[in-house]
Amino acid sequence: MNAPAKYNIILMLLAAFSLCLFHCKAGAADEKSLIKLRTVVIDPGHGGSDPGCINRAKGLKEKDITLSVALKLGALIKQNYPEVKVLYTRSTDKAVDLRDRTDIANRNKADLFISIHVNSAADASAKGVETWVMGTNKTAANMEVCKTENSAIILENDYTSKYQGFDPESPESYIIFSLIQNTHLEQSLYFAGLVQNQLVQGPIVRNRGVKQGPFLVLWTATMPTILIELGFISNDNDSRLLANRYNHNTFAKRIFAAFKEYKTKYESESIRLADGTESQASRTGESFGIQIFSRTSPANNKRLMKGLDAYCIRDGKYYKYIYGNFDTRDGAMAELETVRKKFKDAFIVKMENDSLVKNQTP
Ligand SMILES: [Zn+2]
């Protein structure tokens, strides 16, 4: 082989190598765009003829506070993430049926639903912030908030036929909720935790925690949902803080900070893949699966699996349904896109000797 020929081969090899580099890089960029939080629906509670809870002495209405905070939150998301579609269930002072609120989110295939409310109690000393997810883990105290928020339907036309005879005051009506699984319970709980951690940094600092309850406004949603109760309009100190419009910016900023954290986490599976830093050879007994949903009772109906051959792993009070058993995270990742066509919020879990590794976040 003469010198120029050798030189040509080296050049060709270099070209092939750089082509491969380019290709691999482009592939990684594509993967990165796989999982994105694209659409968020913000739901300011009440509106129009339904003022929500009120403080007559101070001339305060829940519907005004929720709208103000919601619009500020939406503006922050748009400003920081122009690629995220922000939709409101209402952006003016008008009444919207509870069912239509989630319909908007479902129709637009939203990735997240944030309902904003203000609390009220007969006991004027009750104060603080709480964040709710849809669930049937109910106690007497929980039910009061749910009844109050659900009673908004009484102001809607023809509510008995629209909600199949649902009566917000009747305990029997709530039985229907125990039949419904919240397939997004974990993601909802995770986001609710982030929101609660942020909100208690003030202006209203009393932490009433993350709770589960049967909320009509959340129950037909097909994405992770939360309902925030910013504070008590019936409490002197809380209502003073809720009335101050400057604080509305702070509430919005707090919820935005939680949104930002959630979004990063939501999209991180694909970021990890692009980095390649997380791929490691499997150790003995360690494997990966894709969790498609979890619930508090066994899923006896095969149709819930949507044709996937999933198996159940018991984790505390949850029955977690897992698809696949992969030696590496990359192996699971390769299947994730396909699984997400059926279960939009499926995520990868790590297992050790057939049980889930603790402290994993969705
Ligand atoms: Zn409300």
Side-chain angles (χ1 to χ4, degrees):
M1 202 181 283
N2 60 24
K6 210 168 160 186
Y7 193 63
N8 275 343
I9 288 170
I10 292 171
L11 266 180
M12 269 165 66
L13 278 173
L14 264 175
F17 180 65
S18 58
L19 240 171
C20 171
L21 259 186
F22 174 77
H23 181 79
C24 300
K25 255 198 136 157
D30 286 348
E31 300 285 13
K32 208 166 182 167
S33 63
L34 273 183
I35 304 151
K36 286 279 177 204
L37 199 162
R38 293 189 171 89
T39 308
V40 57
V41 171
I42 306 173
D43 173 44
H46 313 275
S49 55
D50 170 18
C53 46
I54 51 179
N55 182 324
R56 278 207 178 78
K58 293 187 179 171
L60 273 180
K61 290 177 186 150
E62 177 180 1
K63 67 170 184 177
D64 299 328
I65 301 165
T66 60
L67 181 60
S68 165
V69 173
L71 294 176
K72 288 178 167 63
L73 169 63
L76 276 174
I77 297 175
K78 281 184 196 166
Q79 227 170 60
N80 289 277
Y81 299 107
E83 74 280 11
V84 172
K85 196 161 136 195
V86 178
L87 299 169
Y88 300 98
T89 54
R90 67 178 179 100
S91 54
T92 57
D93 182 19
K94 66 167 185 183
V96 182
D97 291 356
L98 287 190
R99 202 177 54 182
D100 294 342
R101 293 175 191 253
T102 30
D103 278 356
I104 293 170
N106 292 346
R107 231 183 12 249
N108 287 284
K109 299 194 166 40
D111 300 296
L112 200 56
F113 182 87
I114 307 171
S115 192
I116 301 173
H117 288 256
V118 168
N119 229 330
S120 179
D123 174 6
S125 69
K127 60 178 181 178
V129 53
E130 56 195 27
T131 307
W132 292 80
V133 303
M134 172 71 204
T136 49
N137 173 7
K138 55 181 188 286
T139 66
N142 285 357
M143 285 308 289
E144 281 317 304
V145 181
C146 303
K147 273 190 205 165
T148 311
E149 297 297 4
N150 290 340
S151 66
I153 61 167
I154 291 168
L155 300 169
E156 297 177 16
N157 293 326
D158 196 25
Y159 80 88
T160 43
S161 65
K162 252 192 311 198
Y163 297 95
Q164 291 144 40
F166 185 89
D167 172 3
E169 284 299 318
S170 145
E172 287 76 34
S173 279
Y174 286 87
I175 290 170
I176 184 163
F177 286 108
S178 60
L179 304 173
I180 295 154
Q181 55 161 337
N182 180 355
T183 46
H184 303 285
L185 183 62
E186 272 178 277
Q187 279 102 331
S188 303
L189 281 171
Y190 175 65
F191 181 48
L194 296 177
V195 168
Q196 190 65 17
N197 283 345
Q198 284 292 334
L199 280 173
V200 295
Q201 292 174 45
I204 293 176
V205 295
R206 175 67 186 275
N207 190 350
R208 299 174 65 92
V210 170
K211 300 173 175 181
Q212 291 186 38
F215 287 95
L216 275 178
V217 70
L218 304 180
W219 78 305
T220 52
T222 56
M223 71 287 309
T225 54
I226 61 159
L227 185 146
I228 303 165
E229 297 277 2
L230 292 171
F232 282 75
I233 210 167
S234 46
N235 176 266
D236 246 10
N237 196 48
D238 275 14
S239 63
R240 184 178 54 78
L241 296 166
L242 288 164
N244 183 332
R245 292 190 73 84
Y246 173 81
N247 286 339
H248 297 181
N249 286 308
T250 315
F251 287 126
K253 265 190 218 162
R254 302 276 187 241
I255 304 167
F256 173 73
F259 171 83
K260 192 174 163 183
E261 218 176 314
Y262 180 82
K263 184 177 186 296
T264 309
K265 187 80 193 173
Y266 184 83
E267 295 170 353
S268 66
E269 294 287 11
S270 49
I271 291 163
R272 268 190 225 128
L273 179 68
D275 287 342
T277 47
E278 289 268 317
S279 48
Q280 19 168 277
S282 91
R283 290 186 290 271
T284 327
E286 182 184 289
S287 64
F288 297 86
I290 299 173
Q291 182 170 321
I292 54 175
F293 61 78
S294 83
R295 40 188 283 156
T296 49
S297 58
N300 293 324
N301 192 337
K302 267 273 173 214
R303 270 191 308 186
L304 291 170
M305 318 294 174
K306 299 183 186 171
L308 290 182
D309 192 16
Y311 51 93
C312 179
I313 291 185
R314 195 70 199 275
D315 184 17
K317 61 178 181 171
Y318 294 109
Y319 296 80
K320 298 185 168 175
Y321 286 82
I322 315 288
Y323 171 72
N325 193 338
F326 308 90
D327 290 341
T328 62
R329 183 180 283 277
D330 282 358
M333 188 58 79
E335 277 291 306
L336 186 61
E337 191 192 356
T338 317
V339 174
R340 280 197 168 156
K341 283 181 185 142
K342 291 181 174 179
F343 296 92
K344 196 156 72 81
D345 294 296
F347 57 93
I348 292 173
V349 289
K350 194 164 144 185
M351 294 169 291
E352 234 164 55
N353 302 320
D354 295 332
S355 57
L356 288 167
V357 174
K358 289 281 163 207
N359 302 322
Q360 299 187 63
T361 40

